[in-house]
Amino acid sequence: MIVVRDPKTRDALVPLIEPTLKRYIAQARAGESPWNTVHETRVSEADIAATPTPLPMIRALTHAPVVLFVFVDLSVVASFDRHLDRVGVISGASVYPFVWNILLAARAEGYGGTLTTFVGGSEAELQALLGVPSHMAFAAMIPMGRPVKQLTKLRRKAVDEFATLERFDGTTLRTDG
Ligand SMILES: Cc1cc2nc3c(=O)[nH]c(=O)nc-3n(C[C@H](O)[C@H](O)[C@H](O)COP(=O)(O)O)c2cc1C
């Protein structure tokens, strides 16, 4: 984990995020799930180039009081899905619980953070910027500070909207007794 406070580094992060966010916004506007690896995009490079980026939003994240960067060491992590014909997800499982614990611990101390990954679209440039070796994969950028308001109630789906018994097409798991 790297703790970034240097204003020069923060400024250098903005152009690393922009192209990824541009594509994300263009796909979202077209009704697609941005950056998914299953459905081909119908959005053209011209559409993406013409999409404006919300610079104030990016800067709010890169210029939070502190910005944490978490990487996972691919030379030691067991990537059990490495031979499957799809994008790998299991390597992330060795690091995202750590990220989540950082967020929970920060909250308990009166701070707040947000899990972001969009700088990952420019991983090589990020590794060069922070001096990270190429076998360390970017996992998370966590802007952190003292929230102006500590959130209490979050919007979340009800468990019975996504949990089933025994099989994917099984009976909905009821949580109301
Ligand atoms: C794996 C993951 C990656 C995310 N990456 C980004 C990101 O790159 N940029 C961003 O603005 N929000 C990102 N988010 C969304 C925020 O972390 C956060 O979930 C969102 O602000 C909503 O807050 P909530 O989850 O507390 O409801 C990501 C969320 C997850 C779970």
Side-chain angles (χ1 to χ4, degrees):
M1 188 183 80
I2 302 172
V3 181
V4 168
R5 289 202 182 92
D6 186 336
K8 285 200 295 294
T9 308
R10 295 162 176 284
D11 289 342
L13 287 165
V14 177
L16 302 193
I17 291 171
E18 256 188 296
T20 301
L21 189 55
K22 245 186 206 308
R23 179 177 287 268
Y24 185 102
I25 294 168
Q27 283 193 267
R29 281 184 179 170
E32 299 180 353
S33 291
W35 285 91
N36 86 83
T37 57
V38 174
H39 303 295
E40 283 293 327
T41 182
R42 291 181 312 275
V43 172
S44 70
E45 290 303 321
D47 294 334
I48 294 166
T51 305
T53 33
L55 273 181
M57 180 241 185
I58 301 179
R59 288 187 66 83
L61 296 171
T62 55
H63 290 66
V66 67
V67 191
L68 311 183
F69 287 87
V70 179
F71 291 82
V72 57
D73 187 343
L74 296 181
S75 69
V76 295
V77 75
S79 303
F80 291 119
D81 53 357
R82 61 171 297 179
H83 295 309
L84 303 187
D85 185 21
R86 61 155 171 75
V87 69
V89 297
I90 290 180
S91 328
S94 288
V95 70
Y96 287 109
F98 171 61
V99 170
W100 188 242
N101 283 341
I102 291 171
L103 292 171
L104 288 183
R107 191 180 196 285
E109 298 290 332
Y111 296 99
T114 287
L115 167 55
T116 76
T117 46
F118 46 11
V119 74
S122 306
E123 187 184 70
E125 294 89 335
L126 180 69
Q127 287 164 331
L129 179 68
L130 301 179
V132 178
S134 61
H135 64 279
M136 306 284 283
F138 164 78
M141 171 182 128
I142 313 173
M144 192 165 275
R146 196 173 281 282
V148 287
K149 177 184 168 196
Q150 191 66 272
L151 299 179
T152 50
K153 191 159 171 46
L154 304 177
R155 267 178 311 169
R156 293 291 184 263
K157 284 187 178 175
V159 173
D160 59 17
E161 284 184 54
F162 57 83
T164 52
L165 288 166
E166 310 300 345
R167 290 173 50 85
F168 188 80
D169 60 357
T171 317
T172 299
L173 175 66
R174 304 293 307 201
T175 51
D176 55 8

